[in-house]
Structures are given as structure tokens and as C-alpha cells.
Amino acid sequence: IALYEIAVARRAVGNAAGREAEAIHEVRRRLKRLRALIRLPGRHFPAFRRENRAFRDLGRDLAGAREAEVLAASFDATAGRAGIEASPELRDRVVAAGVHAGASGRLSKVLVEAVEPGLAAAAERAHHWHFDTSGFALVGPGARRTYRRMQRAGRAARLATTAVTLHEW
């Protein structure tokens, strides 16, 4: 399952030319699925912390780059609606000021230079993953934890229906 999710994410990176935003969205979805997948075996997966950190960090790389793109597009749209011709230097300064340190950069650059190598390395490591048990004993406790979290998040979303609580649910 992990190898499939990684392959789909890598395919999205490979087909990203001119469609970086869609590729980012697809890769982030696959990274979330991978993190959920490796969370299921929990303590029965010795490499969990390392793999979880690796997938999390790839997602963060994408989030920062995506944030820079969104800020630039928002700046352009706002300036356009206001009829202001802003200098490229001002645009770059606004984007850089609004993005987390070190997170700015073109989406395609982040995809090719950080995400693709990270996914390739994850695929290689996944071939060697091992677990301390098998069957339902491997995923049952993680499935129960996930179900309990889902129930709590559902209650929270019913009590305070906001975009955040619905997203968490």
C-alpha cells in the first residue's frame, strides 16, 4: 500500500509541469495517507518515528512553497482589483515577509529538488520495512485509536461547526 501511494505521488511530481498546484495537492494527499497508514501499526512498526518525520517534512516543504504561491497570487489579484501596478520587487518582498523562513521558492523547484528525491528514498526504505507482528494484531489497536479520535472530532464538529473542526473531523 505504501509503495502504491508513493508511486502515485511520484507520478504527480513527474506530471507537474504547468500543473504545480494540482501536483502539490495530490502529493500532500498521498503524504497524509502514508502517515495514516504507518500510524496504524504504531509500536509494532520500529521505523515509525523516522518514516513519520520524513513524510511530515516533505509535506512541510510543499506547504511552504504552496503558501508562497498563494501569497503571490493574492497579491497580484489585490493589486489588479485596486488598479495598482506594483513593482516585482515589492511583490517579492511581500511574499517573502508572509512566508515562513526558508519556505519560499517555486513549486516546481521544491517538487523536483526536495520532494521527488524524498519520495524515491521513502520507496527504497519501504521495501525494507518490517513489523513486530502481523494480522489484526498489527493494525487493530491503531484502527481503534483512529476510530476514537474520529468520534471525538465528530463530537467537537457538532458542538462548534467551523471549518477547522470539520477539517479535523
Side-chain angles (χ1 to χ4, degrees), residues 10-28:
R10 291 182 76 188
R11 204 167 25 253
V13 171
N15 296 330
R19 301 179 40 236
E20 287 85 359
E22 292 89 2
I24 293 284
H25 180 70
E26 183 64 25
V27 172
R28 290 183 73 197

Side-chain angles (χ1 to χ4, degrees), residues 78-137:
T78 302
R81 280 193 298 274
I84 299 170
E85 176 113 13
S87 71
E89 294 81 19
L90 175 61
R91 179 183 188 262
D92 291 345
R93 286 179 54 202
V94 168
V95 171
V99 175
H100 303 300
S104 61
R106 302 290 306 160
L107 291 175
S108 56
K109 181 178 179 180
V110 171
L111 283 168
V112 171
E113 293 180 7
V115 176
E116 169 54 28
L119 290 169
E124 182 59 35
R125 289 190 311 270
H127 282 289
H128 305 286
W129 287 354
H130 68 278
F131 305 95
D132 295 340
T133 189
S134 62
F136 191 74

Side-chain angles (χ1 to χ4, degrees), residues 1 11-12 19 25 44 49 52 54 57 61 72 75 77 82 89 113 118 126 135 139 141-142 146-147 152 157:
I1 295 169
R11 204 167 25 253
R19 301 179 40 236
H25 180 70
H44 297 296
R49 287 184 193 275
N52 188 54
D57 290 349
D61 288 344
F75 181 86
E89 294 81 19
E113 293 180 7
V139 296
T146 301
Y147 184 71
R152 281 194 298 273

